[in-house]
Amino acid sequence: MTKSALQIARAAYQPKLPQALKGAVVAKEGEPTQSVADQEAIKALFPNTYGMPLIQFVEGEAVEFPAINVGVILSGGQAPGGHNVISGLFDGIKKLNKDSKLYGFILGPGGLVDHNYKELTAEIIDEYRNTGGFDIIGSGRTKLEKEEQFEKGYEIIKELGIKALVIIGGDDSNTNACVLAEYYAAKNYGVQVIGCPKTIDGDLKNEMIETSFGFDTACKTYAEVIGNIQRDCNSARKYWHFIKLMGRSASHIALECALQVQPNICIVSEEVEAKEMSLDDVVTYIAQVVADRAAAGNNFGTVLIPEGLIEFIPAMKRLIAELNDFLAHNGAEFAMIKKSQQREYIIKHLSEANAAIYASLPEGVARQLSLDRDPHGNVQVSLIETEKLLSEMVATKLAAWKEEGKYVGKFAAQHHFFGYEGRCAAPSNFDADYCYSLGYTASMLIANGKTGYMSSVRNTTAPAAEWIAGGVPITMMMNMERRHGEMKPVIQKALVKLDGAPFQKFAACREAWAKETAYVYPGPIQYFGPTEVCDEPTKTLQLEQAK
Ligand code: FBP
């Protein structure tokens, strides 16, 4: 396989570990824990894994460990650093005993159920150290939640003599890891389950999990290209760039990128919801910034838009809910209607308020809302081109203002969507180190007989040697939420906190960034060079942890 010079050099990079993990370790147990909410309900659902103590690994005496077989699964969307979690786990179990074995289940949780696996040997692992992607074993979105799946999985676990399973995933996958841990514990199967916090979205975090892996690299990758666009924008001075950023519901990615690049505008979905802004409010806000800049002779700028925005606009949320219901019941009839008449048909059948909003949407967006449904019958909001929707509506508003003599300027828009570009980037030093440490920590949790824990590495704005490694009972992060009409135990998703330091910092600066051209050009991720260039954590982490 041909490799780039950087790939070759990067393969030799030795990820940094917390000092405590460098030699033999011992597990220091803290006080018993409680779930963040709904304690009684969670305790009843997880009698075997509830209330366990926090674990911290500290330097200890070397002890002999028997060889163990471990299984690993990559679950959900790709995030930079997944291969390093696996290499850290591999090195950890090999250090415990050189005869330990690691099995990777292919294409996500489905691989466990379908008995699709491969042994990950030293030769394979070495090919993937410090690389982006999940291609070592692939990933998938099969949900592990049914008893038949747990039992099917147990068959192959038994056959391969696997003692522990490590599930690398987001909030839903880790919720399922916890349910699986509880199930195997209740059945006395002697199989441990450990989770690892993954997702570029940055929404799996709490008091004990400072950040999910991949967020650092993905944001830096997007910030690099946004910076490049800003420099182009400031050179040509003729376009407004509307840039949508991945991140599903939460706006962490958009906010982090805004803090890195200082754009003219960044919309934060959580604020839009809290202020009950309408689509027109959002459009008016953007149009006003465009008009003010035009008045100062600046007919250019950048707008960052989080992927999930549409669902946070209360009126749009109501429209989507009614459309989902309506199409679920009238889908067949709707499909028979001529394309050219579908819009009118929908407008006629919706409630007055929703019909008015639907009618105000540009043709393309309205069609997307009425067509693409996922297997659960929901609109696939990530397919809605919010960046085009907003720029079209801004153009219409500006045209009206022009008529009224309220705006003099030129408005030409370019559109971008950054998501997949960042999910498999070569992990930054931060993610390479963080992931390797998470994987290594998982091996120590296994060695200490733990199950139902998430691997945790904290103090991440300090140099890696000072990071604190340990485990957090997954039940500690849970609460009860309504899912598909039923109350379920789930890990609380972390949305952007409007009273948190990152948003507060942004809110304090945004007026100046809107007026001035205060762009920052972060440049590409650096893998070799001075530590202040190569090892800087995200602005989000720095602001959250500023003492
Ligand atoms: P995870 O939550 O599984 O980590 O996925 C993150 C994500 O990249 C979201 O930001 C995005 O909305 C979604 O995956 C896209 O999904 P898909 O990979 O199925 O296109």
Side-chain angles (χ1 to χ4, degrees):
M1 207 201 292
T2 315
K3 287 189 179 151
S4 70
L6 179 64
Q7 271 180 300
I8 295 164
R10 196 63 185 155
Y13 176 75
Q14 183 53 51
K16 301 187 267 301
L17 269 180
Q19 183 59 36
L21 295 186
K22 288 182 184 161
V25 305
V26 65
K28 202 173 85 182
E29 298 202 348
E31 295 295 310
T33 56
Q34 290 211 337
S35 59
V36 281
D38 309 308
Q39 290 84 7
E40 286 313 309
I42 308 278
K43 189 176 177 181
L45 289 165
F46 296 90
N48 295 284
T49 51
Y50 186 86
M52 300 182 299
L54 290 169
I55 302 287
Q56 186 183 329
F57 291 117
V58 293
E59 288 166 57
E61 295 286 304
V63 214
E64 280 205 7
F65 277 99
I68 41 169
N69 291 354
V70 171
V72 65
I73 296 174
L74 289 164
S75 182
Q78 285 71 256
H83 289 158
N84 271 29
V85 179
I86 296 181
S87 54
L89 175 63
F90 179 85
D91 291 352
I93 61 169
K94 286 286 184 188
K95 192 159 179 192
L96 291 168
N97 188 307
K98 66 175 180 21
D99 295 322
S100 295
K101 282 186 181 166
L102 183 62
Y103 292 98
F105 289 97
I106 310 296
L107 287 174
L112 178 72
V113 182
D114 303 336
H115 300 186
N116 194 2
Y117 66 91
K118 75 171 173 199
E119 187 186 340
L120 297 171
T121 58
E123 205 186 337
I124 298 174
I125 295 283
D126 286 348
E127 275 295 303
Y128 288 92
R129 288 182 192 272
N130 310 309
T131 58
F134 278 5
D135 42 318
I136 187 169
I137 45 175
S139 183
R141 291 198 184 275
T142 304
K143 279 186 187 301
L144 268 189
E145 55 186 356
K146 298 197 189 90
E147 218 173 293
E148 311 93 85
Q149 295 174 312
F150 300 167
E151 286 296 333
K152 214 62 193 109
Y154 182 55
E155 283 172 19
I156 189 69
I157 284 174
K158 253 191 319 193
E159 195 180 312
L160 297 173
I162 288 176
K163 181 175 164 15
L165 200 56
V166 176
I167 299 182
I168 302 170
D171 52 343
D172 285 339
S173 308
N174 274 286
T175 294
N176 295 339
C178 192
V179 175
L180 187 64
E182 175 65 32
Y183 182 86
Y184 286 164
K187 293 268 174 181
N188 260 320
Y189 284 171
V191 182
Q192 301 159 241
V193 184
I194 302 294
C196 273
K198 169 236 74 167
T199 178
I200 60 159
D201 300 349
D203 57 5
L204 171 47
K205 65 172 175 183
N206 49 54
E207 217 184 303
M208 301 308 296
I209 302 295
E210 294 178 355
T211 185
S212 55
F213 79 75
F215 177 70
D216 184 274
T217 311
C219 289
K220 284 174 179 160
T221 307
Y222 305 142
E224 178 204 346
V225 262
I226 300 167
N228 296 349
I229 286 174
Q230 293 194 146
R231 204 137 217 174
D232 192 294
C233 177
N234 197 15
S235 306
R237 306 194 175 199
K238 61 176 184 184
Y239 290 128
W240 271 88
H241 291 267
F242 283 71
I243 305 165
K244 183 172 79 170
L245 292 158
M246 236 186 202
R248 210 183 281 280
S249 305
S251 307
H252 296 294
I253 293 181
L255 180 58
E256 170 63 25
C257 289
L259 292 166
Q260 288 192 29
V261 305
Q262 304 190 176
N264 300 108
I265 298 172
C266 173
I267 308 293
V268 173
S269 306
E270 291 83 344
E271 183 184 29
V272 168
E273 184 173 49
K275 291 187 172 167
E276 296 194 18
M277 289 170 83
S278 64
L279 186 54
D280 187 59
D281 291 337
V282 176
V283 170
T284 307
Y285 168 66
I286 300 174
Q288 194 58 57
V289 174
V290 173
D292 291 348
R293 282 180 66 80
N298 296 320
N299 288 297
F300 65 93
T302 48
V303 186
L304 306 190
I305 304 152
E307 178 179 63
L309 175 64
I310 283 288
E311 278 193 312
F312 281 77
I313 297 174
M316 289 298 291
K317 205 176 190 169
R318 288 194 290 273
L319 165 65
I320 291 171
E322 190 178 347
L323 270 173
N324 283 348
D325 258 18
F326 176 72
L327 291 172
H329 294 112
N330 305 283
E333 188 184 322
F334 179 69
M336 308 291 288
I337 291 177
K338 269 204 207 144
K339 257 206 174 123
S340 58
Q341 289 163 10
Q342 285 180 340
R343 190 180 165 102
E344 278 318 304
Y345 171 87
I346 288 192
I347 292 173
K348 221 167 77 194
H349 287 84
L350 289 178
S351 63
E352 207 179 315
N354 286 336
I357 296 168
Y358 188 82
S360 73
L361 296 174
E363 180 77 37
V365 175
R367 180 157 328 110
Q368 246 154 356
L369 279 183
S370 55
L371 285 185
D372 306 301
R373 290 291 181 281
D374 74 4
H376 304 284
N378 296 315
V379 167
Q380 289 176 276
V381 279
S382 62
L383 296 180
I384 298 172
E385 294 173 312
T386 333
E387 67 283 22
K388 290 194 182 144
L389 166 73
L390 290 177
S391 90
E392 279 182 41
M393 294 181 84
V394 166
T396 309
K397 186 155 295 259
L398 289 171
W401 287 356
K402 203 168 230 174
E403 293 265 294
E404 296 165 27
K406 287 204 287 194
Y407 161 70
V408 193
K410 285 190 196 129
F411 178 74
Q414 294 288 346
H415 305 106
H416 315 267
F417 169 39
F418 298 138
Y420 300 99
E421 294 81 349
R423 293 202 316 186
C424 284
S428 60
N429 280 358
F430 177 89
D431 271 329
D433 300 345
Y434 183 54
C435 290
Y436 188 81
S437 300
L438 284 172
Y440 199 92
T441 302
S443 74
M444 296 302 131
L445 287 166
I446 295 168
N448 281 275
K450 304 298 171 193
T451 190
Y453 275 80
M454 191 183 289
S455 179
S456 136
V457 172
R458 294 185 296 128
N459 200 26
T460 50
T461 49
E466 294 164 33
W467 290 356
I468 299 165
V472 186
I474 303 178
T475 49
M476 190 183 172
M477 306 169 200
M478 286 190 164
N479 69 162
M480 300 296 290
E481 285 178 24
R482 187 167 290 282
R483 297 279 167 98
H484 305 295
E486 263 181 77
M487 290 307 280
K488 294 255 182 197
V490 292
I491 294 178
Q492 248 180 7
K493 204 184 257 309
L495 297 177
V496 167
K497 286 194 179 128
L498 300 182
D499 57 356
F503 181 80
Q504 288 294 316
K505 164 84 184 174
F506 162 72
C509 299
R510 66 176 149 188
E511 224 174 288
W513 295 349
K515 277 202 201 99
E516 295 154 19
T517 302
Y519 302 153
V520 174
Y521 313 112
I525 294 174
Q526 299 296 304
Y527 300 95
F528 302 99
T531 186
E532 68 275 17
V533 180
C534 299
D535 299 324
E536 194 189 13
T538 56
K539 302 278 180 212
T540 302
L541 265 182
Q542 291 182 52
L543 288 162
E544 282 174 347
Q545 295 192 13
K547 304 283 180 305

